[in-house]
Amino acid sequence: NAGVTQTPKFQVLKTGQSMTLQCAQDMNHNSMYWYRQDPGMGLRLIYYSASEGTTDKGEVPNGYNVSRLNKREFSLRLESAAPSQTSVYFCASSDYQPQHFGDGTRLSIL
Amino acid sequence: LAKTTQPISMDSYEGQEVNITCSHNNIATNDYITWYQQFPSQGPRFIIQGYKTKVTNEVASLFIPADRKSSTLSLPRVSLSDTAVYYCLVGESMDSNYQLIWGAGTKLIIKP
């Protein structure tokens, strides 16, 4: 039972490069979320998708775009990476609460 | 925008009961309160969820007063493996947007 799978697990980018983080869930959940977690900090919501075909901004959406490809998959794209986007990115899914999290993508931008 | 407040850190000893409180003003009528545990290099993991009064499962209890403006996570007889960061999460609806407000987390250190 995989739960929430995130790829890649680690990535290093140069400033200005673009990248898409992938997330897939096998629990048939309607809602999916993208968070970022900076060192020693709590989670901040970037975007969420309450159901297939809908997406909404969270607390810190600037610099990111998302796509809810189907019910299983929710991707996060950085169009022009900046050092301030260095963080650990978590994807989660739920039917309301509780949320189930992936193991994260550790992203460094030089 | 509602805000959740937790202690930044707590220490305790093996075998003790630990209580971590989260304050959450402006909680919406239909919102649940959920607590998560996070170990280094892992995603948060669900511990317990409640709406009011008391909820208990195999690992923790959750106490919520009548006004629901706070909640207390209780971990009975902690062990070294309970050292982690604990987060409370309260869902909040604002206009047509659904805002999820996470606390900053409480770093719990269990000593032998």
Side-chain angles (χ1 to χ4, degrees):
Chain A
N1 189 1
V4 178
T5 303
Q6 293 184 235
T7 55
K9 294 187 185 305
F10 302 92
Q11 185 70 47
V12 179
L13 294 177
K14 294 181 179 179
T15 298
Q17 287 185 314
S18 62
M19 171 163 192
T20 300
L21 308 185
Q22 305 288 352
C23 175
Q25 53 97 3
D26 63 3
M27 295 169 283
N28 203 36
H29 286 159
N30 287 303
S31 299
M32 297 186 73
Y33 313 82
W34 276 106
Y35 291 91
R36 61 176 289 173
Q37 186 174 38
D38 299 327
M41 305 292 286
L43 287 89
R44 291 186 292 170
L45 183 65
I46 304 171
Y47 271 93
Y48 66 96
S49 171
S51 62
E52 184 179 354
T54 68
T55 61
D56 284 285
K57 295 178 180 180
E59 182 184 358
V60 289
N62 292 342
Y64 305 95
N65 286 301
V66 291
S67 295
R68 183 74 181 268
L69 304 173
N70 48 56
K71 192 171 186 179
R72 290 188 64 248
E73 298 172 289
F74 189 38
S75 64
L76 178 72
R77 183 162 179 83
L78 288 70
E79 290 291 351
S80 179
S84 61
Q85 294 178 304
T86 292
S87 191
V88 180
Y89 291 84
F90 289 102
C91 176
S93 71
S94 75
D95 275 336
Y96 194 54
Q97 298 182 41
Q99 296 176 44
H100 299 260
F101 285 82
D103 288 334
T105 294
R106 285 149 186 81
L107 183 61
S108 294
I109 299 160
L110 307 177
Chain B
L1 186 66
K3 179 179 177 180
T4 58
T5 304
Q6 303 176 233
I8 295 174
S9 65
M10 295 179 66
D11 293 350
S12 189
Y13 293 89
E14 283 190 294
Q16 298 295 306
E17 178 184 78
V18 171
N19 296 311
I20 306 173
T21 297
C22 179
S23 299
H24 28 78
N25 55 355
N26 299 331
I27 183 171
T29 302
N30 295 328
D31 286 332
Y32 279 74
I33 299 155
T34 311
W35 283 80
Y36 293 83
Q37 176 190 56
Q38 187 179 29
F39 297 112
S41 302
Q42 295 184 23
R45 184 177 70 175
F46 170 76
I47 301 174
I48 196 166
Q49 182 182 73
Y51 182 80
K52 62 180 179 181
T53 63
K54 177 184 176 181
V55 179
T56 298
N57 62 21
E58 63 275 10
V59 297
S61 294
L62 179 59
F63 299 91
I64 305 169
D67 66 7
R68 303 202 328 124
K69 293 186 177 182
S70 66
S71 59
T72 299
L73 173 71
S74 181
L75 303 173
R77 299 177 299 281
V78 294
S79 64
L80 295 176
S81 63
D82 292 316
T83 293
V85 179
Y86 292 82
Y87 293 96
C88 70
L89 173 61
V90 176
E92 177 179 291
S93 297
M94 292 177 57
D95 299 326
S96 59
N97 297 319
Y98 188 79
Q99 298 286 339
L100 297 171
I101 310 299
W102 288 73
T106 297
K107 185 173 184 178
L108 176 64
I109 299 174
I110 306 301
K111 303 174 182 178

